[in-house]
Amino acid sequence: MKSENVNGVKTKKKQPRTKLKSVNFTMWGYFCILAVFLIFALELVFYSVVAGTFGNQARQRVERIGKEVCLELQSDFPVNVSIFHRYAGDGVYVYIIDRFGNVVSPQAPAAEVNENVVNDLLNYLGGYGSGSEITFRSGEGINYGAKLKQRYNGYYVLVTYSLSIVKDTVGTLQLYLFIVGVVILALSFLISFLISQKITRGLKNMSDTAVELAKGDYNVKFVNADYREMAQLSDTLNHVCEEVKKSEDFQREILANVTHDLKTPLTMIKAYASMIREISGDNKEKREKHLKVIEDEADRLTGLVNDVLSVSKLQSNLDVINPKVFNLTELVYGIINKFGYLQETNGYGFMLDIDKDLYTRADEEKIKQVIYNLLGNAANYTGEDKTVYISLKQSMDGRRIKFSVRDTGKGIAEEDLSEIWNRYYRVKENHNRPVKGTGLGLNIVKVILKNHSFDFGVDSKINGGSTFWIDFPSVPSEIDIL
Ligand code: ADP
């Protein structure tokens, strides 16, 4: 059943749970239908093949006997009675009839063919030529026979056979087949019931485990090794379980980190505000110094809050890219200047290798955020020499721009390399951090660059520092375009 929602999207109407069919019952039903169909087809094939074969065999026998009797009679006439005994039996009878319709031999016809029958028969035979074959009903109305007549010296050889024998044999075989069919059907009902039970038991277990998971127990384990597909599903669900658990842990950790990181500047702001009121109020120089601390701490708070907001905005895809052509060189210099305070007060050094007036096409504000985050990380994690190397170079063919920022820090372990781009991921180590972080910075970088479809990455060695890089397209400046 299909319905249309306000957006014009076709959706399937949900059926009430009680109306849905159970997998177990459906599978069993299909198995049973298949078994009935197979057995019915088998009986049909048997009946047409076996019954036909028996009939043909009887007819061939009559034909053969007729020919053989005719051959013997050519040399041996009047007839030796033993010939009839030799061929007769199993419902087959042999007669010799003269042209007037009298049975010449044997003298006393078998009960199967009484006088009336022979007369009826001869009426028939009058209309048939040599070698013709007819089917007739005996006087008692019980037996059917197929006949063959062969002409010899004005005499006829008549061979009869009883169709009822063929019918009886086929009937007996059919009965056996029917009994076997019923037994097989009963067995297949039972086996299919057991199989469907076994398969659905696995599904039921998984569904019970999923209910536990939904209740918030992330330590549950989906176990199902009976069937490959279900084992794969179990693996996937176990993986989902681990990921949800990890994400929960990370979120808890980040909440702890953020609240911790928020507390420090707040305490500082409060402390310096009290100091201004109580101590430095009239001392302009001291007051300016204290106000500067308050300003810096407020900036740090704003940075933190912005990070958290950016991530949630980017992740919910509310953010749209607004690309335009801008001077990337100027943008990079602008950000480096923002970190000037680190150079002046903390002895940090920025080594630059930057080409002049490189233009790219991207969302300027977002790229600013990306480069800001990468430079902040480099300053955070660089080594004792407090040096950060920044490079912005155009490729030889002039079509690409490579931005890279290198530090001399401890580097990133191989197993962490792919993880650092994830939300809330922080390598568990204490760093000297002049720029406060939330574990969100690289995730913001990743989402923004992916939205732009720009190549980016990191090369890092333990104790060999890290280099984060981005590959921008190089475009002519707006002036060049005009
Ligand atoms: P954070 O705010 O913790 O710096 P990020 O998302 O920016 O969060 O980085 C995630 C993690 O990646 C960091 O906690 C740090 O362990 C690691 N990392 C990022 N940049 C570097 C770097 N330049 N050198 C070493 N480790 C880094």
Side-chain angles (χ1 to χ4, degrees):
M1 214 184 292
K2 299 260 169 96
S3 65
E4 206 153 299
N5 67 13
V6 272
N7 301 322
V9 182
K10 295 224 164 34
T11 50
K12 231 179 170 187
K13 241 188 190 167
K14 255 193 170 176
Q15 294 227 38
R17 286 282 180 275
T18 44
K19 280 197 181 165
L20 293 176
K21 283 178 242 145
S22 109
V23 177
N24 189 357
F25 184 73
T26 313
M27 272 173 78
W28 184 61
Y30 283 131
F31 274 135
C32 293
I33 292 172
L34 186 69
V36 170
F37 174 76
L38 284 180
I39 287 176
F40 181 73
L42 203 72
E43 298 245 355
L44 204 72
V45 169
F46 168 83
Y47 187 73
S48 48
V49 172
V50 173
T53 310
F54 272 98
N56 280 342
Q57 275 179 359
R59 241 169 262 128
Q60 279 166 12
R61 198 168 155 221
V62 166
E63 176 92 36
R64 187 171 43 79
I65 292 172
K67 274 184 187 158
E68 282 176 18
V69 172
C70 278
L71 271 177
E72 290 208 24
L73 286 181
Q74 278 178 5
S75 54
D76 189 11
F77 201 83
V79 183
N80 181 351
V81 186
S82 72
I83 200 172
F84 302 104
H85 295 301
R86 205 169 341 125
Y87 287 108
D90 284 348
V92 176
Y93 295 94
V94 182
Y95 307 94
I96 303 220
I97 298 156
D98 67 14
R99 76 192 69 178
F100 307 109
N102 301 317
V103 176
V104 175
S105 194
Q107 295 297 323
E112 219 75 13
V113 183
N114 61 31
E115 284 301 324
N116 295 336
V117 174
V118 171
N119 283 335
D120 285 352
L121 223 143
L122 290 171
N123 283 339
Y124 276 122
L125 290 176
Y128 290 82
S130 172
S132 62
E133 189 185 319
I134 56 166
T135 306
F136 83 109
R137 176 182 265 265
S138 74
E140 289 85 24
I142 1 166
N143 287 332
Y144 290 86
K147 277 69 180 171
L148 175 84
K149 63 168 186 165
Q150 298 277 345
R151 200 196 295 268
Y152 171 72
N153 266 351
Y155 292 94
Y156 292 94
V157 172
L158 174 66
V159 184
T160 71
Y161 73 91
S162 161
L163 273 185
S164 45
I165 289 195
V166 173
K167 273 195 148 185
D168 288 350
T169 320
V170 173
T172 317
L173 280 173
Q174 254 187 316
L175 181 69
Y176 286 148
L177 195 72
F178 177 73
I179 295 170
V180 171
V182 169
V183 172
I184 292 180
L185 210 61
L187 275 179
S188 48
F189 279 11
L190 185 74
I191 292 171
S192 57
F193 177 74
L194 293 178
I195 291 178
S196 55
Q197 280 273 311
K198 188 164 187 263
I199 294 175
T200 47
R201 200 179 311 132
L203 280 176
K204 174 94 181 40
N205 285 346
M206 283 168 79
S207 152
D208 290 346
T209 317
V211 170
E212 290 303 306
L213 175 66
K215 281 183 193 157
D217 180 0
Y218 299 117
N219 293 318
V220 290
K221 264 260 159 293
F222 290 87
V223 215
N224 195 316
D226 289 349
Y227 303 97
R228 201 182 332 128
E229 291 79 0
M230 282 161 86
Q232 273 168 358
L233 180 61
S234 297
D235 289 349
T236 313
L237 288 172
N238 282 331
H239 181 67
V240 168
C241 219
E242 277 165 29
E243 288 301 309
V244 173
K245 189 167 183 300
K246 239 196 245 172
S247 164
E248 278 256 311
D249 291 348
F250 283 146
Q251 300 216 22
R252 216 167 289 137
E253 201 178 315
I254 187 59
L255 199 66
N257 288 344
V258 170
T259 35
H260 175 262
D261 288 350
L262 285 174
K263 243 162 78 185
T264 323
L266 280 175
T267 321
M268 296 271 274
I269 289 171
K270 191 160 182 256
Y272 276 84
S274 310
M275 266 162 70
I276 292 169
R277 182 152 28 90
E278 283 157 26
I279 306 167
S280 59
D282 293 334
N283 185 332
K284 190 169 182 254
E285 201 183 322
K286 267 191 179 172
R287 196 178 63 218
E288 286 301 318
K289 229 170 121 186
H290 293 163
L291 280 172
K292 178 80 176 73
V293 175
I294 290 179
E295 258 174 23
D296 287 350
E297 293 302 319
D299 282 349
R300 191 182 284 189
L301 274 178
T302 315
L304 264 171
V305 171
N306 281 344
D307 262 9
V308 177
L309 281 180
S310 299
V311 169
S312 53
K313 240 165 110 188
L314 285 168
Q315 299 293 333
S316 54
N317 273 341
L318 290 175
D319 245 17
V320 207
I321 300 284
N322 286 319
K324 64 171 197 191
V325 176
F326 63 89
N327 189 326
L328 189 58
T329 309
E330 275 179 17
L331 181 132
V332 172
Y333 272 125
I335 297 166
I336 294 169
N337 285 340
K338 278 197 181 180
F339 286 95
Y341 71 97
L342 287 178
Q343 277 175 299
E344 284 157 25
T345 53
N346 295 6
Y348 276 78
F350 290 103
M351 312 300 282
L352 312 182
D353 181 8
I354 296 178
D355 284 352
K356 268 193 193 151
D357 289 333
L358 297 178
Y359 283 82
T360 192
R361 190 166 186 280
D363 188 317
E364 191 174 359
E365 275 312 304
K366 298 213 166 60
I367 295 301
K368 202 183 269 180
Q369 197 173 0
V370 165
I371 291 175
Y372 186 88
N373 287 357
L374 292 182
L375 292 195
N377 277 353
N380 270 340
Y381 301 105
T382 197
E384 300 282 295
D385 62 359
K386 295 188 173 179
T387 310
V388 172
Y389 298 83
I390 299 163
S391 136
L392 188 73
K393 305 290 287 178
Q394 192 169 37
S395 63
M396 297 286 268
D397 61 7
R399 297 168 73 174
R400 315 291 314 168
I401 304 168
K402 179 110 176 212
F403 166 81
S404 67
V405 49
R406 178 165 73 86
D407 62 63
T408 58
K410 284 187 175 170
I412 304 162
E414 216 177 306
E415 64 267 22
D416 290 324
L417 273 181
S418 57
E419 301 282 352
I420 52 169
W421 305 97
N422 292 338
R423 238 192 309 181
Y424 309 127
Y425 192 85
R426 284 169 128 178
V427 177
K428 289 177 184 56
E429 245 184 78
N430 282 330
H431 294 280
N432 169 29
R433 294 159 66 94
V435 182
K436 286 279 174 196
T438 50
L440 298 173
L442 286 183
N443 184 254
I444 296 173
V445 169
K446 179 178 93 172
V447 176
I448 291 178
L449 294 178
K450 277 203 161 177
N451 284 348
H452 279 83
S453 307
F454 290 167
D455 270 353
F456 61 97
V458 54
D459 307 315
S460 185
K461 254 204 333 240
I462 284 289
N463 295 327
S466 311
T467 306
F468 284 81
W469 57 267
I470 307 169
D471 186 29
F472 289 100
S474 177
V475 299
S477 74
E478 271 166 309
I479 300 159
D480 290 344
I481 295 168
L482 293 171

